[in-house]
Amino acid sequence: MKRFLIFFLLSLTLVLAIASCSPSTNTTNGDIIIASKDFTEQDILGEILAQQIEETTSLKVARRPRLGGSFVCHNAILAGKIDAYIEYTGTAFTGILKQPVINNPQVVYEKLKQAYSQRFQLEVMPSLGFENTFAIIVRGEDARRYNIQTLTDAAQYTPQWRGGFGYEFLEREDGFPGLAKTYGLKFTKPPQIMDLGLIYRALIQKQVDMVAGNSTDGQIARLGLVVLKDDQQYFPPYEATPIVRQETLKKYPQLKTAIAQLTGKIAADEMRQLNYLVEGELQDIKEVAREFRKSKGLIKTL
């Protein structure tokens, strides 16, 4: 009964989310609809994409921020309720296509591009230049004290450390169980299950010594934390890439050129800084997006 209730609520959320993007909204507010998932980084990327399209073409863009997770956005674009959104390759490959993990970024991209085109009539555009993957994080002072740069380096110290991870990371197949086996991570006691909103505070306050976050979290730089390199390539690639309806690209050929100008333009450190400007300094997303595009020479000058 509990599983049925959860499934019902998820299905209802999906239906409501997709229904909120009606075709009439598209014709009233813009030529195309750009959606984003429900977290800050996606807000920023969606705005960068929308601004780039509006300022390099004659098209007007309707924004649909915080539409939902990957499943909601994927179904919305299949239904023609949105025209594009930013996805992460590993999420699409393992979550949407249900394929086993592949660590080679180029192989994942090519397989994803082919499958999305054939099965969904969706175009997988080239990466924006960064990936947002799981990040295993330690305090900067510890990284310097023990000269730790990689997860292999850290493995020898974890028997004296405490781990703190979110429930999903502890349970999912590509999460902690496989990571611990790959690197031989052993803690003083089983890792603590933590709310993701509290993991960095717990790390700074030395309640735990290692946590799992996202590689582009804005707080990483602000708090002086260090992301350990996944030197054995345990995690699949999660490159940020625009997903666009092929029908929309045929209707507006100039759209592909506009989006392609963003290819490779955002590095992981830059995305981390953009997230911090919005979350840490509470700057306006539109201004943050515009200033970034300006710094990359993407804004037209008179």
Side-chain angles (χ1 to χ4, degrees):
M1 180 62 70
K2 183 177 180 181
R3 290 183 178 179
F4 174 79
L5 179 59
I6 293 174
F7 175 78
F8 174 77
L9 292 174
L10 290 174
S11 300
L12 179 61
T13 300
L14 172 62
V15 170
L16 292 175
I18 295 178
S20 68
C21 297
S22 64
S24 60
T25 303
N26 188 12
T27 56
T28 301
N29 294 338
D31 300 302
I32 61 173
I33 296 177
I34 301 297
S36 58
K37 296 199 245 183
D38 49 359
F39 54 96
T40 301
E41 177 169 301
Q42 284 274 311
D43 292 339
I44 298 168
L45 293 175
E47 182 59 29
I48 289 175
L49 185 59
Q51 287 185 15
Q52 185 67 18
I53 293 169
E54 288 187 328
E55 294 189 20
T56 59
T57 73
S58 60
L59 300 174
K60 182 172 177 55
V61 178
R63 279 89 160 156
R64 292 293 177 270
R66 303 280 169 145
L67 181 62
S70 292
F71 185 64
V72 171
C73 290
H74 179 68
N75 280 276
I77 200 170
L78 289 184
K81 304 301 183 182
I82 64 174
D83 294 288
Y85 76 103
I86 306 296
E87 186 55 277
Y88 304 93
T89 54
T91 300
F93 192 70
T94 61
I96 301 298
L97 296 180
K98 306 298 182 185
Q99 296 297 306
V101 171
I102 295 177
N103 297 111
N104 187 304
Q106 189 60 34
V107 172
V108 170
Y109 176 78
E110 293 298 337
K111 287 182 175 293
L112 185 67
K113 183 177 178 67
Q114 182 179 25
Y116 263 49
S117 178
Q118 294 177 348
R119 292 175 55 178
F120 307 129
Q121 290 72 58
L122 297 176
E123 185 75 14
V124 180
M125 300 287 287
S127 169
L128 297 176
F130 76 96
E131 65 171 318
N132 184 355
T133 185
F134 283 117
I136 307 303
I137 301 168
V138 298
R139 289 181 292 272
E141 59 189 84
D142 289 342
R144 291 186 293 271
R145 179 183 300 123
Y146 302 116
N147 192 27
I148 297 172
Q149 298 180 0
T150 69
L151 279 164
T152 297
D153 293 338
Q156 60 183 307
Y157 298 103
T158 55
Q160 291 80 47
W161 287 358
R162 297 156 297 173
F165 307 112
Y167 174 78
E168 181 181 355
F169 184 73
L170 285 171
E171 295 295 323
R172 59 187 287 170
E173 185 176 344
D174 60 343
F176 179 74
L179 182 74
K181 182 178 180 180
T182 299
Y183 286 99
L185 303 180
K186 298 179 181 179
F187 293 96
T188 55
K189 59 182 179 180
Q192 183 177 345
I193 300 175
M194 305 192 68
D195 185 291
L196 292 178
L198 302 176
I199 58 174
Y200 294 128
R201 180 187 302 174
L203 186 60
I204 291 299
Q205 294 179 350
K206 299 187 177 182
Q207 298 171 6
V208 293
D209 304 290
M210 176 184 282
V211 300
N214 292 316
S215 58
T216 55
D217 282 345
Q219 295 189 71
I220 294 174
R222 182 173 67 88
L223 297 174
L225 305 176
V226 170
V227 176
L228 299 177
K229 182 179 179 180
D230 177 18
D231 53 305
Q232 296 189 40
Q233 296 185 318
Y234 168 74
F235 294 117
Y238 291 99
E239 296 183 310
T241 181
I243 306 292
V244 191
R245 296 179 69 231
Q246 291 179 347
E247 183 178 336
T248 303
L249 291 174
K250 290 179 181 179
K251 185 176 181 180
Y252 304 113
Q254 66 271 42
L255 186 60
K256 192 167 189 176
T257 300
I259 297 175
Q261 291 173 345
L262 295 173
T263 298
K265 285 292 192 283
I266 309 176
D269 286 345
E270 291 172 325
M271 191 68 246
R272 199 174 294 147
Q273 177 64 14
L274 295 177
N275 286 332
Y276 169 68
L277 291 176
V278 174
E279 295 179 335
E281 297 189 359
L282 305 180
Q283 293 188 24
D284 180 72
I285 289 175
K286 290 184 181 294
E287 286 302 312
V288 168
R290 183 167 181 78
E291 285 301 312
F292 175 77
R293 290 181 54 250
K294 183 178 179 181
S295 73
K296 294 293 181 177
L298 295 171
I299 292 182
K300 294 180 179 179
T301 57
L302 299 178

mmCIF file of all heavy atoms in Angstrom, residues 7-35:
data_model
loop_
_atom_site.group_PDB
_atom_site.id
_atom_site.type_symbol
_atom_site.label_atom_id
_atom_site.label_comp_id
_atom_site.label_asym_id
_atom_site.label_seq_id
_atom_site.Cartn_x
_atom_site.Cartn_y
_atom_site.Cartn_z
ATOM 1 N N PHE A 7 3.872 5.681 -5.642
ATOM 2 C CA PHE A 7 3.762 5.672 -7.098
ATOM 3 C C PHE A 7 2.655 6.607 -7.560
ATOM 4 O O PHE A 7 2.806 7.348 -8.539
ATOM 5 C CB PHE A 7 3.482 4.248 -7.580
ATOM 6 C CG PHE A 7 3.232 4.149 -9.065
ATOM 7 C CD1 PHE A 7 4.298 4.176 -9.955
ATOM 8 C CD2 PHE A 7 1.948 4.042 -9.563
ATOM 9 C CE1 PHE A 7 4.087 4.089 -11.318
ATOM 10 C CE2 PHE A 7 1.722 3.955 -10.922
ATOM 11 C CZ PHE A 7 2.792 3.982 -11.806
ATOM 12 N N PHE A 8 1.521 6.597 -6.844
ATOM 13 C CA PHE A 8 0.399 7.459 -7.202
ATOM 14 C C PHE A 8 0.768 8.932 -7.097
ATOM 15 O O PHE A 8 0.467 9.732 -7.987
ATOM 16 C CB PHE A 8 -0.796 7.165 -6.282
ATOM 17 C CG PHE A 8 -1.956 8.113 -6.476
ATOM 18 C CD1 PHE A 8 -2.804 7.982 -7.557
ATOM 19 C CD2 PHE A 8 -2.169 9.155 -5.575
ATOM 20 C CE1 PHE A 8 -3.853 8.875 -7.739
ATOM 21 C CE2 PHE A 8 -3.213 10.042 -5.749
ATOM 22 C CZ PHE A 8 -4.064 9.902 -6.837
ATOM 23 N N LEU A 9 1.466 9.293 -6.010
ATOM 24 C CA LEU A 9 1.850 10.683 -5.811
ATOM 25 C C LEU A 9 2.857 11.140 -6.860
ATOM 26 O O LEU A 9 2.772 12.259 -7.378
ATOM 27 C CB LEU A 9 2.434 10.870 -4.403
ATOM 28 C CG LEU A 9 1.435 10.715 -3.255
ATOM 29 C CD1 LEU A 9 2.165 10.784 -1.908
ATOM 30 C CD2 LEU A 9 0.353 11.793 -3.320
ATOM 31 N N LEU A 10 3.826 10.271 -7.192
ATOM 32 C CA LEU A 10 4.794 10.609 -8.227
ATOM 33 C C LEU A 10 4.126 10.773 -9.571
ATOM 34 O O LEU A 10 4.437 11.684 -10.343
ATOM 35 C CB LEU A 10 5.885 9.538 -8.313
ATOM 36 C CG LEU A 10 6.863 9.463 -7.141
ATOM 37 C CD1 LEU A 10 7.786 8.254 -7.292
ATOM 38 C CD2 LEU A 10 7.686 10.741 -7.051
ATOM 39 N N SER A 11 3.173 9.894 -9.875
ATOM 40 C CA SER A 11 2.455 9.976 -11.148
ATOM 41 C C SER A 11 1.625 11.249 -11.216
ATOM 42 O O SER A 11 1.577 11.926 -12.257
ATOM 43 C CB SER A 11 1.547 8.753 -11.317
ATOM 44 O OG SER A 11 2.299 7.562 -11.310
ATOM 45 N N LEU A 12 0.974 11.588 -10.103
ATOM 46 C CA LEU A 12 0.170 12.800 -10.062
ATOM 47 C C LEU A 12 1.035 14.031 -10.252
ATOM 48 O O LEU A 12 0.668 14.957 -10.995
ATOM 49 C CB LEU A 12 -0.576 12.884 -8.725
ATOM 50 C CG LEU A 12 -1.462 14.137 -8.514
ATOM 51 C CD1 LEU A 12 -2.556 14.174 -9.576
ATOM 52 C CD2 LEU A 12 -2.075 14.119 -7.111
ATOM 53 N N THR A 13 2.204 14.053 -9.607
ATOM 54 C CA THR A 13 3.129 15.175 -9.766
ATOM 55 C C THR A 13 3.562 15.338 -11.207
ATOM 56 O O THR A 13 3.628 16.450 -11.745
ATOM 57 C CB THR A 13 4.377 14.962 -8.883
ATOM 58 O OG1 THR A 13 3.973 14.860 -7.519
ATOM 59 C CG2 THR A 13 5.353 16.129 -9.034
ATOM 60 N N LEU A 14 3.850 14.206 -11.845
ATOM 61 C CA LEU A 14 4.266 14.243 -13.252
ATOM 62 C C LEU A 14 3.163 14.801 -14.131
ATOM 63 O O LEU A 14 3.400 15.666 -14.974
ATOM 64 C CB LEU A 14 4.642 12.833 -13.713
ATOM 65 C CG LEU A 14 4.914 12.650 -15.213
ATOM 66 C CD1 LEU A 14 6.109 13.499 -15.619
ATOM 67 C CD2 LEU A 14 5.153 11.192 -15.545
ATOM 68 N N VAL A 15 1.940 14.321 -13.931
ATOM 69 C CA VAL A 15 0.814 14.795 -14.747
ATOM 70 C C VAL A 15 0.590 16.284 -14.575
ATOM 71 O O VAL A 15 0.415 17.031 -15.544
ATOM 72 C CB VAL A 15 -0.472 14.018 -14.370
ATOM 73 C CG1 VAL A 15 -1.682 14.657 -15.035
ATOM 74 C CG2 VAL A 15 -0.351 12.569 -14.801
ATOM 75 N N LEU A 16 0.638 16.756 -13.330
ATOM 76 C CA LEU A 16 0.419 18.177 -13.065
ATOM 77 C C LEU A 16 1.530 19.032 -13.647
ATOM 78 O O LEU A 16 1.283 20.118 -14.185
ATOM 79 C CB LEU A 16 0.306 18.421 -11.551
ATOM 80 C CG LEU A 16 -0.933 17.832 -10.875
ATOM 81 C CD1 LEU A 16 -0.857 18.034 -9.363
ATOM 82 C CD2 LEU A 16 -2.209 18.467 -11.430
ATOM 83 N N ALA A 17 2.768 18.547 -13.530
ATOM 84 C CA ALA A 17 3.906 19.310 -14.052
ATOM 85 C C ALA A 17 3.822 19.459 -15.563
ATOM 86 O O ALA A 17 4.032 20.536 -16.116
ATOM 87 C CB ALA A 17 5.223 18.635 -13.656
ATOM 88 N N ILE A 18 3.517 18.351 -16.248
ATOM 89 C CA ILE A 18 3.426 18.411 -17.699
ATOM 90 C C ILE A 18 2.225 19.242 -18.127
ATOM 91 O O ILE A 18 2.284 20.030 -19.061
ATOM 92 C CB ILE A 18 3.329 16.985 -18.289
ATOM 93 C CG1 ILE A 18 4.624 16.224 -18.007
ATOM 94 C CG2 ILE A 18 3.053 17.021 -19.779
ATOM 95 C CD1 ILE A 18 4.613 14.792 -18.501
ATOM 96 N N ALA A 19 1.109 19.087 -17.414
ATOM 97 C CA ALA A 19 -0.085 19.844 -17.756
ATOM 98 C C ALA A 19 0.117 21.343 -17.615
ATOM 99 O O ALA A 19 -0.492 22.148 -18.316
ATOM 100 C CB ALA A 19 -1.256 19.395 -16.864
ATOM 101 N N SER A 20 1.005 21.735 -16.699
ATOM 102 C CA SER A 20 1.245 23.166 -16.486
ATOM 103 C C SER A 20 1.916 23.825 -17.677
ATOM 104 O O SER A 20 1.896 25.042 -17.819
ATOM 105 C CB SER A 20 2.116 23.375 -15.237
ATOM 106 O OG SER A 20 3.416 22.897 -15.464
ATOM 107 N N CYS A 21 2.539 23.029 -18.556
ATOM 108 C CA CYS A 21 3.194 23.554 -19.752
ATOM 109 C C CYS A 21 2.274 23.357 -20.940
ATOM 110 O O CYS A 21 2.473 22.476 -21.765
ATOM 111 C CB CYS A 21 4.515 22.834 -20.011
ATOM 112 S SG CYS A 21 5.713 23.059 -18.708
ATOM 113 N N SER A 22 1.223 24.114 -21.027
ATOM 114 C CA SER A 22 0.257 23.926 -22.094
ATOM 115 C C SER A 22 0.729 24.549 -23.391
ATOM 116 O O SER A 22 1.483 25.506 -23.390
ATOM 117 C CB SER A 22 -1.084 24.568 -21.690
ATOM 118 O OG SER A 22 -0.932 25.960 -21.560
ATOM 119 N N PRO A 23 0.258 24.037 -24.541
ATOM 120 C CA PRO A 23 0.644 24.607 -25.815
ATOM 121 C C PRO A 23 0.252 26.070 -25.928
ATOM 122 O O PRO A 23 0.941 26.853 -26.550
ATOM 123 C CB PRO A 23 -0.123 23.734 -26.830
ATOM 124 C CG PRO A 23 -0.302 22.422 -26.132
ATOM 125 C CD PRO A 23 -0.507 22.784 -24.695
ATOM 126 N N SER A 24 -0.862 26.465 -25.303
ATOM 127 C CA SER A 24 -1.287 27.859 -25.383
ATOM 128 C C SER A 24 -0.278 28.782 -24.725
ATOM 129 O O SER A 24 -0.071 29.912 -25.155
ATOM 130 C CB SER A 24 -2.660 28.020 -24.697
ATOM 131 O OG SER A 24 -2.587 27.634 -23.342
ATOM 132 N N THR A 25 0.376 28.288 -23.673
ATOM 133 C CA THR A 25 1.407 29.085 -23.025
ATOM 134 C C THR A 25 2.561 29.341 -23.971
ATOM 135 O O THR A 25 3.120 30.430 -24.010
ATOM 136 C CB THR A 25 1.930 28.351 -21.763
ATOM 137 O OG1 THR A 25 0.841 28.088 -20.888
ATOM 138 C CG2 THR A 25 2.946 29.177 -21.043
ATOM 139 N N ASN A 26 2.888 28.325 -24.765
ATOM 140 C CA ASN A 26 3.996 28.443 -25.708
ATOM 141 C C ASN A 26 3.723 29.544 -26.725
ATOM 142 O O ASN A 26 4.560 30.395 -26.988
ATOM 143 C CB ASN A 26 4.198 27.102 -26.409
ATOM 144 C CG ASN A 26 5.451 27.070 -27.253
ATOM 145 O OD1 ASN A 26 6.290 27.949 -27.158
ATOM 146 N ND2 ASN A 26 5.564 26.038 -28.081
ATOM 147 N N THR A 27 2.539 29.555 -27.311
ATOM 148 C CA THR A 27 2.224 30.530 -28.348
ATOM 149 C C THR A 27 2.045 31.919 -27.776
ATOM 150 O O THR A 27 2.268 32.911 -28.455
ATOM 151 C CB THR A 27 0.943 30.112 -29.092
ATOM 152 O OG1 THR A 27 -0.124 29.946 -28.144
ATOM 153 C CG2 THR A 27 1.140 28.795 -29.831
ATOM 154 N N THR A 28 1.642 32.025 -26.506
ATOM 155 C CA THR A 28 1.403 33.325 -25.898
ATOM 156 C C THR A 28 2.698 33.992 -25.449
ATOM 157 O O THR A 28 2.912 35.180 -25.682
ATOM 158 C CB THR A 28 0.453 33.185 -24.682
ATOM 159 O OG1 THR A 28 -0.764 32.612 -25.125
ATOM 160 C CG2 THR A 28 0.188 34.533 -24.053
ATOM 161 N N ASN A 29 3.576 33.240 -24.819
ATOM 162 C CA ASN A 29 4.748 33.824 -24.188
ATOM 163 C C ASN A 29 6.044 33.661 -24.958
ATOM 164 O O ASN A 29 7.050 34.250 -24.598
ATOM 165 C CB ASN A 29 4.924 33.226 -22.781
ATOM 166 C CG ASN A 29 3.791 33.619 -21.860
ATOM 167 O OD1 ASN A 29 3.121 34.611 -22.097
ATOM 168 N ND2 ASN A 29 3.569 32.826 -20.831
ATOM 169 N N GLY A 30 6.082 32.834 -25.972
ATOM 170 C CA GLY A 30 7.326 32.658 -26.689
ATOM 171 C C GLY A 30 7.202 31.701 -27.850
ATOM 172 O O GLY A 30 6.217 30.965 -27.975
ATOM 173 N N ASP A 31 8.211 31.718 -28.700
ATOM 174 C CA ASP A 31 8.251 30.781 -29.817
ATOM 175 C C ASP A 31 8.630 29.386 -29.344
ATOM 176 O O ASP A 31 8.162 28.388 -29.891
ATOM 177 C CB ASP A 31 9.278 31.261 -30.844
ATOM 178 C CG ASP A 31 8.937 32.636 -31.391
ATOM 179 O OD1 ASP A 31 7.834 32.790 -31.945
ATOM 180 O OD2 ASP A 31 9.774 33.547 -31.238
ATOM 181 N N ILE A 32 9.510 29.328 -28.351
ATOM 182 C CA ILE A 32 9.944 28.044 -27.803
ATOM 183 C C ILE A 32 9.945 28.109 -26.282
ATOM 184 O O ILE A 32 9.978 29.193 -25.693
ATOM 185 C CB ILE A 32 11.352 27.643 -28.297
ATOM 186 C CG1 ILE A 32 12.383 28.683 -27.857
ATOM 187 C CG2 ILE A 32 11.360 27.482 -29.803
ATOM 188 C CD1 ILE A 32 13.813 28.267 -28.167
ATOM 189 N N ILE A 33 9.926 26.939 -25.668
ATOM 190 C CA ILE A 33 9.920 26.845 -24.208
ATOM 191 C C ILE A 33 11.189 26.138 -23.737
ATOM 192 O O ILE A 33 11.486 25.027 -24.170
ATOM 193 C CB ILE A 33 8.688 26.078 -23.696
ATOM 194 C CG1 ILE A 33 7.407 26.842 -24.042
ATOM 195 C CG2 ILE A 33 8.789 25.870 -22.187
ATOM 196 C CD1 ILE A 33 6.145 26.124 -23.626
ATOM 197 N N ILE A 34 11.928 26.811 -22.878
ATOM 198 C CA ILE A 34 13.121 26.236 -22.258
ATOM 199 C C ILE A 34 12.783 25.913 -20.801
ATOM 200 O O ILE A 34 12.395 26.796 -20.039
ATOM 201 C CB ILE A 34 14.313 27.212 -22.297
ATOM 202 C CG1 ILE A 34 14.654 27.600 -23.732
ATOM 203 C CG2 ILE A 34 15.523 26.593 -21.591
ATOM 204 C CD1 ILE A 34 15.101 26.466 -24.605
ATOM 205 N N ALA A 35 12.946 24.672 -20.421
ATOM 206 C CA ALA A 35 12.650 24.249 -19.049
ATOM 207 C C ALA A 35 13.939 23.973 -18.299
ATOM 208 O O ALA A 35 15.019 23.847 -18.885
ATOM 209 C CB ALA A 35 11.772 23.006 -19.053
#
